Amino acid sequence: MPSKPTVAEYVIRRLAELGIDHVFGVPGDYSFPIDDAVEASKKLEWVVCANELNAAYAADAYARRRGAAILTTTYGVGELSAVNGVMGAKAHRVPVFHIVGAPSKRIQRQRLITHHTLGEGVFGDFFPISAATAGVSAEITPDNVVTELERCIHGALYLSQPAYLQIAEDYAKMPVLGTPVKGKKLAALSRGRSNRAELDAAVLAIVSALKRARKAVVLPTSLVKRYGAKESLAAFLQRSGLPFAVTPMDRGVLPETGPQYLGLYNGRSSFPPQVRAAVDKADLILDVGGVVLEDLNTGMWTDSFKAENLITIGSDFVRIGGQCFTSVMLPDVLAAVARIVPKASRKTKCPDKPLMPVSGSGSDRVSSASFYPRLQRMLKAGDNLVVETGTCMLRVNNLALPDGVGYESQTLWGSIGWATPAALGVALAEPGRRTILVTGDGSHQLTANEIGVMGRYGINPIIFVLNNGLYGIEDLLSERGHVYDDLAKWNYHMLPAAMGCEGWFCARINTVAELESALKKARSHDAACYLEVMIPEEESQPLPDALIDRIYKTATPGARK
């Protein structure tokens, strides 16, 4: 009779059965049994990141493309370094299994003072902190590992949020007590079951409202991807013929080239501008997933669609006016509506989205106006575009993505530095697609050490670092000239070589001619590309005071200046 796996081996094996094939993290002594189990696994590859925060960012992005991810850190110093990144995954509804190795129960029961603690012999300080970054959490033991792990897997997928699993070092080495579960891949798992009566009533109410509507619009969100319901959404749109728009947070859910795509809805910052009127004046808005009415996602709260015209299909509820249907899962609702919604007699035909006009040539100095139109034209079907928080994210809002291009950003949590490690996670999650990263130099300085990790694991992204020598987004939001907005002067294009990256195409780009040449070479280069694009500092001019106050609301309302 084969021996039972240890707790650490079982946890790692069970999570790998979901279809996860990489583990992100930083090894640490209390987590050595977990680290060893990852290394021994034939289904998983260790990705040793430069630090725990970067590992959390990478795991977040990997999970966005693969459905779930594994992150492992050590007790205290490791898990707390990862808190910001895991909390970002929670904000964006991304399932990340955060496994933490803790001091042995022998140490804990005797209240011995050990490293990575506060020196008080107390070992419960950090659990509530890390648990707060997750939707579900557990302290894993040999006796409960089978049942608690199943609970946490179900909870993470039901909520589409991280799970926090803490395992004491001695427990991690002990054999499992109970009967191990043989798991299934994510695609075969239910995210939750719907109450049939509630589901039938919710679907009937949605379809009835759609039949009455004369100007209906669909707003799908990234939760459609998280819950594996893209096919049902596409089937519903195909059958209903309704137009749809997306917010900045929700790009990449559907292609942006089809005839039913209106454009980007972002309040008064919508693009094309007519999208705003199409959404705000609709007599029914089908909100699939729950649009987050956040500042950057609504043109600084300039959304103005009426609540009485809104139907929200949430992760496990449907809200129609004053009615709320509960215990109904988004995939079930969307699939049922797609089956019975009336077929459109005539499908919507939205205007084609023009490419951004190209400006500049030859020896002209590169600017944002010359960079982004050329970026748009170099994107190809199958690319994954990862965009950093800051001015680059704002400019990409006006860039229509070619068909088949994936998109990831962190609009809501907005932690600068996220995108560089995120590009690592995206590239490892979907190695058959080319990952293209656009980041500003300020954000890049926070997490640039992950470039060496990319080189170590042989991924081939195309990286654009837009160098204007300062935190450009900060200059937009305040007066010019603050010393805290100035950056250390790095030679960015020399970083990959210094970090041991071999075969990379690296260049510093000053002119439009150099940009066009570099773009052409990058597309044909088999290995990674790292392009430092020099952007004029003077582009970052402060926004008008009234607009800044609309963002931060610090001025006394109605006060005279």
Side-chain angles (χ1 to χ4, degrees), residues 8-21:
E9 290 168 343
Y10 177 70
V11 169
I12 293 303
R13 186 186 77 190
R14 179 70 186 87
L15 294 178
E17 288 170 350
L18 297 174
I20 300 168
D21 62 4

Side-chain angles (χ1 to χ4, degrees), residues 236-394:
F236 164 72
L237 290 171
Q238 173 67 22
R239 184 179 174 93
S240 69
L242 292 173
F244 73 94
V246 294
T247 67
M249 256 185 83
D250 302 310
R251 302 189 73 179
V253 176
L254 291 168
E256 298 184 3
T257 53
Q260 292 167 256
Y261 177 61
L262 288 165
L264 191 79
Y265 180 75
N266 192 19
R268 68 175 62 179
S269 300
S270 297
F271 186 83
Q274 57 266 32
V275 176
R276 185 186 186 191
V279 174
D280 289 348
K281 294 181 180 180
D283 61 354
L284 188 151
I285 298 170
L286 187 60
D287 171 10
V288 187
V291 172
V292 178
L293 302 178
E294 177 247 20
D295 47 3
L296 296 175
N297 210 38
T298 59
M300 298 305 153
W301 305 291
T302 55
D303 58 292
S304 56
F305 46 77
K306 297 177 175 61
E308 59 267 27
N309 296 339
L310 188 66
I311 296 178
T312 299
I313 303 176
S315 57
D316 60 356
F317 70 91
V318 170
R319 186 169 55 240
I320 304 177
Q323 294 181 311
C324 188
F325 304 88
T326 59
S327 190
V328 288
M329 298 301 296
L330 182 148
D332 296 338
V333 175
L334 203 51
V337 172
R339 285 193 298 270
I340 67 172
V341 68
K343 287 185 178 180
S345 57
R346 185 178 61 183
K347 288 185 171 57
T348 302
K349 180 65 173 74
C350 300
D352 292 336
K353 311 303 175 295
L355 293 174
M356 299 176 74
V358 173
S359 66
S361 63
S363 61
D364 292 345
R365 187 180 179 186
V366 176
S367 64
S368 294
S370 57
F371 170 72
Y372 287 99
R374 289 171 171 84
L375 169 67
Q376 185 176 37
R377 286 162 173 79
M378 69 92 68
L379 293 172
K380 294 182 178 179
D383 289 340
N384 277 325
L385 180 62
V386 181
V387 180
E388 182 58 87
T389 300
T391 51
C392 53
M393 184 177 70
L394 300 179

Side-chain angles (χ1 to χ4, degrees), residues 390-530:
T391 51
C392 53
M393 184 177 70
L394 300 179
R395 291 185 180 275
V396 169
N397 281 348
N398 293 349
L399 184 155
L401 300 179
D403 195 11
V405 173
Y407 182 84
E408 299 295 349
S409 67
Q410 204 194 39
T411 306
L412 174 59
W413 191 243
S415 183
I416 65 170
W418 171 86
T420 298
L424 169 69
V426 167
L428 291 172
E430 295 185 332
R433 298 165 67 105
R434 195 77 185 266
T435 299
I436 297 175
L437 166 65
V438 180
T439 181
D441 50 345
S443 298
H444 194 53
Q445 284 201 6
L446 272 69
T447 53
N449 44 3
E450 216 60 26
I451 295 299
V453 180
M454 295 180 186
R456 174 181 179 179
Y457 293 100
I459 66 171
N460 67 335
I462 300 174
I463 298 171
F464 295 98
V465 179
L466 307 183
N467 181 3
N468 61 1
L470 46 80
Y471 286 113
I473 190 66
E474 307 292 350
D475 262 18
L476 287 178
L477 300 172
S478 64
E479 302 87 4
R480 295 295 307 275
H482 290 299
V483 295
Y484 54 71
D485 287 339
D486 295 334
L487 298 174
K489 304 301 181 184
W490 289 14
N491 292 312
Y492 293 93
H493 65 291
M494 301 174 71
L495 292 179
M499 294 184 183
C501 301
E502 298 180 354
W504 286 38
F505 164 51
C506 302
R508 173 179 281 169
I509 297 167
N510 290 283
T511 69
V512 172
E514 291 171 350
L515 175 63
E516 291 178 339
S517 175
L519 291 176
K520 184 177 180 180
K521 184 171 181 179
R523 282 270 50 151
S524 62
H525 192 64
D526 290 336
C529 304
Y530 189 98

